[in-house]
Amino acid sequence: MEKFTKINTTVVPLPMEDIDTDQIIPARFLKATTREGFGDNLFRDWRYNQDNTPKDFILNNKIYNGKILVAGKNFGCGSSREHAAWALYDYGFRVVVSSFFADIFKGNALNNGLLPITVPSDFLNDLFLSSEQDPNSDVLVDLEVQKITILDSRKFVEFDIDPYKKMCLINGYDDIDYLISKKGKIEAFEKNQVIF
Amino acid sequence: MKKTLFDKIWEQHVVDTVDGGRNILYIDKHFIHEVTSPQAFAGLEKRGVPLFRKEKILATADHNVPTLNQHLPIVDPLSRTQVNTLIKNCEKFGVELYGLGHQYQGIVHVIGPELGITRPGMTIVCGDSHTSTHGAFGSIAFGIGTSQVEQVMTTQCLLLQKPKRMRITIDGELQNGVLSKDIILYILSKLTASGGTGYFIEYAGSTIRSLSMEARMTICNMSIEMGARGGLIAPDEKTFNYIKGRKFAPQGEQFDKAVTFWKTLFTDEDAQFEREYNFKAEDITPMVTYGTNPGMGIKITEAIPEAIDPNNTKSYDKSLKYMNFKTGNSLIGQKINFVFIGSCTNSRIEDLRLVADFVKGKSKASNTTVWIVPGSKQVQLQAQEEGLDKVFEAAGFELREPGCSACLGMNEDKIPKGEYCISTSNRNFEGRQGQGARTILASPLMAAATAVTGKIVDVRELL
Ligand code: SF4
């Protein structure tokens, strides 16, 4: 996993609620057997018509090209497909901001170096507004101090993150490294377990 | 300390607690399928670590498989590659596979229970959000991402923050024509598509107790549509009787010992839940969805409501535009050309029996195409043994071979653009059943009634 500490970029606003994983990456693109290349099909059916001509959609608007996706409440609901996180990452996003995330998506994102940041809805609106007014407006995300700042207005909020997950992101570690180090305990647990 | 059922099972599986309160949770059974496992197997090889407990994994092919001519090679090259990759990986790592052609093949959440692999008190995971289905047996079962599939493959454990507890209690007697699918669609319409996020739900109350195991699975299956990690129901005599005698269930004395243990799995009186809801069975009617998330449901007699939040109607407007519906309209009388009866929500033998019972002596409307896709090979064979196939054939319904099928349209079974489909599956997301397809979620009875009338009706009027 790539390390993550700080990022300073413009944002891509997507002010829709309940964006489900079927929209992020439709099922027909889940047939690959590797993790790469899903970015091309990110939001496929919102981005392209059936004949592959582009639609009027934010990702087709050259003005918006930041590494932070800002989306409405309940982002990533639906299926457990990790392909959704891979697609966002592969496309170039490193942060997703919303006022509320679906659980499985949030976990998947964190396991792939994509930082989900939950902010209050007022701040989410500020983010939408500032990018609407000026698409070049920069946002700074500093994981170390857990702070997201709209640089023009200096508005910021501090965000929560599980300390363990924060450590993993900053160092580029994943859960597997950690769990493997606990094998002895796991084997001891198994010896005492009865499963009916 | 008084404990909930969820607490009891969770605590029995905690290997260790690490800084920040995360638990290392031991997983008793791991199901895998072709879509979310290849990258995990690849990860294992890349790390150069072995598969830790291969006997705790079971694989099946379900998402991509055709539902016609399963004995022939899969036509779509990408689907074929993915299914073949699963076969190769299972061979290489020594994992049991119930693939195409196997007598136990089927949708992962249908085969676990019917083979007696899913049992009370277990922890069960799968790289699939509807793993929550298995909670109907009083187990902690939930969907995971592919990175976590790899974690379980390498260590049989997951590193998790314990979810919060919610209880939903439903008491009373259901009206005639109302099924467990209606119960869960009703709950969803009240709690919305995000109302369960962060929680593990226990379903309780006299109505739940009165349901068959199949009907309980339908409810637990859709817990994830509220955003919940999973749902579970305390095991009882019905659970034990369902498991008894199944292929992988404990036998003889072992079974009796198991039952003694299973009987300890209930929520103590006065145990605390972070959130509680109560509903009355009498209030529930047949349900239909009108929008593009499963929380957008109404009673069949109701009109499409306004957006919940009048200041933020973007998603609502987009949804109604996609469905080509209008606020204030009823769905009754809406012409429907496609009917899909299947998916891990409603493709079990009981669902098929219900539908067959209803359509006996009737036939499908001239405008409808009706697919019945059994959840597993065993369900298919059982249906044939009971003569249900003859009933369906006479009615003009197509009984196909098992798989996920039009639930997510990864195979050929897609609903054409712009067409409505009344579906017994669990998600009505945009394009879920095919690009531009419009899904209306409902119970198997409502779907059968639509199949014979060619339009949406209140099934209670036909009973
Ligand atoms: S039937 Fe549908 S919901 Fe169930 S496992 Fe298959 S694709 Fe997922």
Side-chain angles (χ1 to χ4, degrees), chain B residues 216-463:
Chain B
R216 292 179 191 183
M217 283 188 248
T218 302
I219 292 194
C220 289
N221 173 275
M222 288 187 75
S223 306
I224 181 69
E225 308 316 335
M226 293 177 261
R229 279 322 297 265
L232 79 175
I233 294 172
D236 57 11
E237 289 301 327
K238 273 191 191 153
T239 320
F240 312 148
N241 288 335
Y242 180 98
I243 296 171
K244 194 169 189 176
R246 293 197 181 253
K247 175 88 184 156
F248 295 102
Q251 311 288 336
E253 207 183 304
Q254 265 313 97
F255 183 79
D256 299 335
K257 269 195 197 158
V259 170
T260 309
F261 167 63
W262 293 341
K263 283 186 174 164
T264 65
L265 300 172
F266 56 85
T267 290
D268 298 332
E269 225 169 292
D270 300 327
Q272 291 298 309
F273 290 84
E274 278 90 348
R275 208 177 266 189
E276 292 237 36
Y277 293 96
N278 291 282
F279 298 106
K280 285 208 246 4
E282 299 81 51
D283 292 343
I284 306 173
T285 73
M287 299 284 295
V288 281
T289 60
Y290 60 89
T292 55
N293 76 55
M296 299 173 87
I298 47 174
K299 292 182 180 175
I300 182 63
T301 49
E302 287 175 339
I304 296 174
E306 311 222 341
I308 302 174
D309 178 359
N311 298 318
N312 193 352
T313 62
K314 251 189 198 160
S315 304
Y316 173 88
D317 293 343
K318 186 171 193 290
S319 200
L320 258 57
K321 186 167 170 234
Y322 183 85
M323 293 300 290
N324 197 24
F325 285 151
K326 292 212 166 53
T327 314
N329 284 5
S330 161
L331 259 57
I332 292 181
Q334 171 67 51
K335 189 177 168 207
I336 303 286
N337 295 333
F338 289 85
V339 180
F340 173 62
I341 297 173
S343 92
C344 56
T345 316
N346 285 116
S347 64
R348 298 181 181 81
I349 191 66
E350 184 181 276
D351 299 307
L352 269 53
R353 283 183 192 137
L354 259 167
V355 171
D357 239 23
F358 177 84
V359 301
K360 203 173 255 168
K362 302 185 181 78
S363 57
K364 76 170 192 69
S366 57
N367 61 307
T368 53
T369 299
V370 189
W371 293 334
I372 302 193
V373 182
S376 71
K377 205 75 203 165
Q378 295 212 83
V379 171
Q380 185 194 347
L381 293 177
Q382 177 86 25
Q384 285 162 348
E385 228 164 75
E386 294 179 17
L388 308 186
D389 55 335
K390 298 281 170 333
V391 177
F392 295 142
E393 205 184 304
F397 291 14
E398 265 185 69
L399 179 64
R400 297 206 163 192
E401 291 173 281
C404 294
S405 179
C407 173
L408 91 167
M410 267 187 95
N411 67 352
E412 294 73 27
D413 308 345
K414 292 182 177 60
I415 308 303
K417 188 173 178 187
E419 288 284 355
Y420 290 102
C421 174
I422 188 157
S423 175
T424 67
S425 57
N426 42 54
R427 284 184 179 146
N428 49 354
F429 296 152
E430 278 184 36
R432 173 82 177 179
Q433 298 194 288
Q435 275 179 282
R438 295 168 170 152
T439 304
I440 297 168
L441 301 175
S443 79
L445 267 183
M446 283 291 285
T450 303
V452 301
T453 53
K455 53 187 199 260
I456 295 189
V457 285
D458 185 339
V459 66
R460 291 173 298 179
E461 286 166 11
L462 303 182
L463 296 174

